[in-house]
Amino acid sequence: MLADGRVRVAAGDEDGLCLWDGASGRLLADAVGKDRIHQVAGGLTSSGRALLVGTGVNGLHLWNPVAAEPLAPPLEHVGDAVAVTLATLRGGPSLIVTGDYEGVRRWQGDLCETQFGAEIDAPHVDMLTTVYTEDGRPLIVGVVEEGEVVCRWDAETGEEIGRPIPTDGEFVRIATATVSGRVRLFTADHDVVRQWDLLSGEPVTETFTGSFVSAVSLPDGSALLAAGTKEGGKVTTHRLV
């Protein structure tokens, strides 16, 4: 969401960044960057700038989400960057967090000027997202080891939180939402969506059908989960309390 309330939907494909208006669904930009984009993340920097970041074959791309204009030439990345997320630390600074086949790296500054902290050791990172706990602590959540486990790290210290959560899957997708005051992790693989308490790593018994998953926290303390299947493109929604 932009500062003026407008919403943007962004995705990457083999030709670059695609950008839509979130309210009307109108395509605003297509194939921006002329690169194969693995993952896109959006957020605000410490200076309040709205930012889209994409991991590509040719490096790390930074775009203005209003018009999908590049903010800088693609930045050379140490390792083949695949995953990306943005995190805001409790002290105010913002980080761009990237994942590759060797680990997780944190970068500080609107244009990734400096590396923040030491590299987090994590083999074959496929996907990253950021979660904020009840006390505002930012956590990085990543799918690693080719989808076999999900790991959680403190975004400020790089310390791993708890033991890796096993998924035993391939092409695992993740989502998070707060349910009754506790942050919950959702993993989708082999047409099954599973639930976990994010901090403890304990599983929640109820599962759903789906190979893709998205979730959103609602103001009343519940969450809305959407699960999609590969075959037939069926999407189901579930209210979690």
Side-chain angles (χ1 to χ4, degrees), residues 43-51 86-96 107-113 116:
L44 296 175
T45 66
S46 304
S47 62
R49 170 190 283 178
L51 181 68
L86 275 69
T88 301
L89 305 186
R90 285 178 291 188
S94 59
L95 301 180
I96 296 172
W107 310 87
Q108 193 169 12
D110 289 3
L111 297 177
C112 293
E113 290 90 57
F116 179 87

Side-chain angles (χ1 to χ4, degrees), residues 168-187:
D168 298 323
E170 294 181 70
F171 306 109
V172 175
R173 295 294 177 262
I174 58 175
T176 61
T178 300
V179 182
S180 299
R182 296 285 296 182
V183 182
R184 196 169 292 185
L185 168 71
F186 306 93
T187 63

Side-chain angles (χ1 to χ4, degrees), residues 48-69:
R49 170 190 283 178
L51 181 68
L52 285 175
V53 184
T55 54
V57 174
N58 296 324
L60 197 64
H61 295 259
L62 305 176
W63 298 289
N64 176 347
V66 176
E69 297 173 343

Side-chain angles (χ1 to χ4, degrees), residues 7-192:
V7 176
R8 292 289 185 263
V9 177
D13 61 18
E14 293 183 352
D15 299 315
L17 172 75
C18 300
L19 189 69
W20 296 268
D21 179 88
S24 67
R26 181 169 61 93
L27 180 66
L28 302 175
D30 189 15
V32 178
K34 304 298 182 183
D35 191 5
R36 180 174 183 173
I37 303 301
H38 300 294
Q39 189 177 351
V40 178
L44 296 175
T45 66
S46 304
S47 62
R49 170 190 283 178
L51 181 68
L52 285 175
V53 184
T55 54
V57 174
N58 296 324
L60 197 64
H61 295 259
L62 305 176
W63 298 289
N64 176 347
V66 176
E69 297 173 343
L71 295 173
L75 303 174
E76 184 178 350
H77 191 274
V78 179
D80 186 10
V82 174
V84 64
T85 187
L86 275 69
T88 301
L89 305 186
R90 285 178 291 188
S94 59
L95 301 180
I96 296 172
V97 183
T98 59
D100 53 43
Y101 297 123
E102 298 178 356
V104 176
R105 308 169 197 270
R106 293 164 291 164
W107 310 87
Q108 193 169 12
D110 289 3
L111 297 177
C112 293
E113 290 90 57
T114 57
Q115 190 160 349
F116 179 87
E119 177 186 342
I120 299 172
D121 184 21
H124 199 117
V125 182
D126 288 331
M127 186 176 182
L128 290 172
T129 190
T130 302
V131 177
Y132 299 91
T133 62
E134 294 85 348
D135 62 357
R137 180 172 56 149
L139 302 183
I140 304 165
V141 183
V143 179
V144 304
E145 294 184 4
E146 299 185 328
E148 293 183 4
V149 298
V150 174
C151 293
R152 299 142 291 160
W153 303 277
D154 186 300
E156 296 178 343
T157 66
E159 179 184 0
E160 186 167 1
I161 307 299
R163 295 181 179 180
I165 298 173
T167 62
D168 298 323
E170 294 181 70
F171 306 109
V172 175
R173 295 294 177 262
I174 58 175
T176 61
T178 300
V179 182
S180 299
R182 296 285 296 182
V183 182
R184 196 169 292 185
L185 168 71
F186 306 93
T187 63
D189 62 273
H190 298 308
D191 292 325
V192 178

Side-chain angles (χ1 to χ4, degrees), residues 1-8 44 50:
M1 181 177 290
L2 304 179
D4 59 6
R6 287 180 294 171
V7 176
R8 292 289 185 263
L44 296 175

